Amino acid sequence: MHRILIVEDEEAIRSGLLDLLEIEGYETAAVADGEAALEKAAQWKPHLVLLDLMLPKSSGFDVCRHLRKHHPDIFVIMLTAKNEEMSKIAGLEMGADDYITKPFSVSELLARVKTRLRRRTEASATGEPDLLEFGEVKIDFRRYEALRKDKHLDLSAKEFQILRYLAGRAGEVVTREDLLQAIWGYTPDNMPTTRTVDNQILKLRQKLEQDAAHPVWIKSVRGVGYKFDPEGSPSAE
Ligand code: CA
């Protein structure tokens, strides 16, 4: 069962959300300030946090920042008041997964919660997907099949493994050393040159990207490593 933590200082909203989510079959808990939110999150490990922005003790931003850093697998949906448009933008940078503006409808809230949690269920226990779709590409990792517009793409097993590993950490930076350990099985004391990784990434891009010189899915993070961008947004580089 999915656990949802409600963080809201307004009693009426807090108890309303609690009742609503319990009726929907979620395991729920509620707290009224930022400090209690962090304690509860660490101890109870919710799958999703509904986080009010304006809170006593520690703001929703601070809570969100902390959750991102220490519990990156928890989804965060922020609850913001209508006049807090600027906060939405700041919240995005803080790493919230979604926003709902107060006053919100019950059906809207439930739809957002379900969407987030469904994505979670789809990911396997390791966080690495069995299936992946982006742009015109469809990948079935269990079968080692890759298609672009129904035409087969010829990916090596290594390339499938690299892509799956990156996709399981979508939006996060994965270092070359991480990949060498996870995919090739090297240990820190017998690391080959990281050029091995760069060559494989280049091949993957040539097969998957429209323009391998300007990748939108498998991005370079200068001096660090690579990142799979599930949105496929154009790179700032
Ligand atoms: Ca509040």
Side-chain angles (χ1 to χ4, degrees):
M1 199 198 288
H2 284 124
R3 292 186 295 279
I4 301 178
L5 175 62
I6 299 153
V7 187
E8 169 64 74
D9 58 324
E10 278 175 64
E11 210 279 323
I13 300 178
R14 188 172 67 243
S15 57
L17 285 172
L18 200 60
D19 289 348
L20 172 71
L21 293 168
E22 268 171 8
I23 289 166
E24 289 294 314
Y26 296 107
E27 205 179 322
T28 52
V31 294
D33 67 67
E35 271 178 29
L38 294 179
E39 270 172 39
K40 191 71 185 170
Q43 160 231 330
W44 192 54
K45 307 212 185 316
H47 300 104
L48 187 146
V49 175
L50 285 176
L51 181 60
D52 182 32
L53 182 60
M54 303 301 286
L55 288 168
K57 294 190 182 175
S58 190
S59 78
F61 283 153
D62 293 337
V63 173
C64 187
R65 203 185 291 121
H66 181 96
L67 290 175
R68 271 294 155 268
K69 195 169 169 203
H70 299 282
H71 310 280
D73 50 332
I74 298 179
F75 286 120
V76 178
I77 299 181
M78 276 209 164
L79 307 174
T80 64
K82 230 185 185 134
N83 58 357
E84 292 169 342
E85 282 300 313
M86 279 310 292
S87 312
K88 279 196 189 182
I89 298 153
L92 258 178
E93 287 161 7
M94 225 46 67
D97 295 291
D98 205 352
Y99 303 86
I100 298 177
T101 308
K102 293 194 231 179
F104 47 80
S105 73
V106 163
S107 57
E108 186 195 3
L109 179 104
L110 288 175
R112 302 280 189 96
V113 166
K114 277 179 191 151
T115 303
R116 288 294 145 191
L117 292 175
R118 189 174 58 236
R119 277 186 212 161
R120 176 188 180 80
T121 311
E122 280 163 1
S124 67
T126 55
E128 293 176 33
D130 290 324
L131 301 168
L132 180 67
E133 279 193 58
F134 55 94
E136 295 168 344
V137 176
K138 283 185 191 173
I139 312 258
D140 185 335
F141 289 108
R142 290 162 304 184
R143 294 159 194 253
Y144 281 70
E145 274 179 1
L147 299 169
R148 163 176 276 144
K149 285 187 181 172
D150 302 313
K151 281 180 78 181
H152 275 275
L153 292 171
D154 185 23
L155 265 63
S156 71
K158 248 334 158 247
E159 290 166 348
F160 276 109
Q161 289 163 16
I162 293 168
L163 184 60
R164 190 179 198 178
Y165 191 83
L166 291 174
R169 288 147 190 80
E172 294 174 36
V173 182
V174 174
T175 66
R176 292 174 178 83
E177 287 76 11
D178 278 346
L179 286 165
L180 285 169
Q181 290 187 55
I183 309 300
W184 280 267
Y186 290 109
T187 56
D189 40 300
N190 72 350
M191 284 281 175
T193 153
T194 53
R195 191 78 205 144
T196 309
V197 176
D198 298 340
N199 288 337
Q200 290 283 343
I201 293 282
L202 179 63
K203 283 189 206 159
L204 258 180
R205 283 175 173 162
Q206 285 165 347
K207 292 173 187 180
L208 300 176
E209 300 277 356
Q210 295 284 357
D211 177 0
H214 298 96
V216 299
W217 307 107
I218 304 170
K219 301 211 168 115
S220 296
V221 180
R222 205 181 299 266
V224 188
Y226 296 99
K227 176 166 86 171
F228 181 75
D229 178 357
E231 309 296 333
S233 44
S235 181
E237 285 177 53

